[in-house]
Amino acid sequence: HYMGLTKTFNYAPIYCSNITANLIEYKLKVDTKLIKRLPMNEWVDVTIDSNFDEIKIDITVFVYLLEANHCPGAVQFLFRVNNRYLLHSGDFRYCKEMKIDNPLNNIKLHSLYLDTTFCSPNYDFPPQSQAIAQVIELVDQEIKNGALFLI
């Protein structure tokens, strides 16, 4: 998930959740000046003011981070640009709780950038609750067998 992101990365700001910011700061040693921490579940205005291939960009984009229910720090990015809404799903795992107090309930999307890596009948994943229960069962069994875990 962090392919190509190393401590030498210096190409552009990285807009991310607080959890992701902590991971890339402390594990990957990315320069903190490049890390732009965004809060969850609230609209934030992000002004982009830069030159890109000799083209001047100066625009304000509103960003809302939604829980992706995937791995620590994973989010979906909801953008509002010129009264148009765009959603980038990234990797996410849908659950019914995602519909509660979700701004997507009250808007019409102009564009959806959907991650479809596992959108195939070839992949049949168990429900998340079942996967968690199986992991807990395995860890319990290993503890009973004398294994030590550092958490």
Side-chain angles (χ1 to χ4, degrees):
H1 288 83
Y2 299 108
M3 185 68 68
L5 192 56
T6 66
K7 65 182 177 182
T8 61
F9 179 89
N10 65 354
Y11 306 106
I14 302 168
Y15 294 92
C16 57
S17 68
N18 202 38
I19 293 171
T20 296
N22 289 338
L23 287 168
I24 63 176
E25 179 181 346
Y26 297 111
K27 294 294 281 178
L28 302 178
K29 308 294 186 205
V30 172
D31 186 347
T32 57
K33 289 180 280 193
L34 294 171
I35 301 171
K36 308 300 180 192
R37 297 168 184 263
L38 298 178
M40 296 293 296
N41 304 314
E42 71 179 71
W43 286 106
V44 177
D45 61 319
V46 175
T47 300
I48 300 168
D49 181 15
S50 63
N51 287 311
F52 180 74
D53 283 344
E54 309 295 325
I55 299 171
K56 177 75 170 154
I57 299 173
D58 184 10
I59 187 170
T60 298
V61 175
F62 295 91
V63 183
Y64 192 101
L65 271 56
L66 296 155
E67 175 61 48
N69 195 32
H70 173 60
C71 63
V75 297
Q76 298 177 79
F77 286 90
L78 177 60
F79 299 97
R80 186 175 74 222
V81 183
N82 299 329
N83 292 320
R84 287 187 167 179
Y85 293 93
L86 306 92
L87 178 66
H88 184 278
S89 73
D91 287 334
F92 77 101
R93 180 188 284 257
Y94 176 78
C95 65
K96 61 185 174 194
E97 290 79 13
M98 291 176 143
K99 290 189 75 160
I100 300 170
D101 292 329
N102 189 319
L104 293 172
N105 295 335
N106 304 313
I107 63 171
K108 180 180 176 185
L109 285 179
H110 177 266
S111 300
L112 171 62
Y113 299 91
L114 182 64
D115 185 314
T116 59
T117 305
F118 295 105
C119 191
S120 166
N122 295 335
Y123 301 104
D124 185 23
F125 298 110
Q128 188 178 35
S129 59
Q130 182 182 343
I132 291 170
Q134 288 174 331
V135 169
I136 291 170
E137 186 179 318
L138 288 170
V139 170
D140 281 345
Q141 188 59 47
E142 289 300 317
I143 290 172
K144 289 175 185 169
N145 292 334
L148 296 175
F149 292 91
L150 179 62
I151 300 175

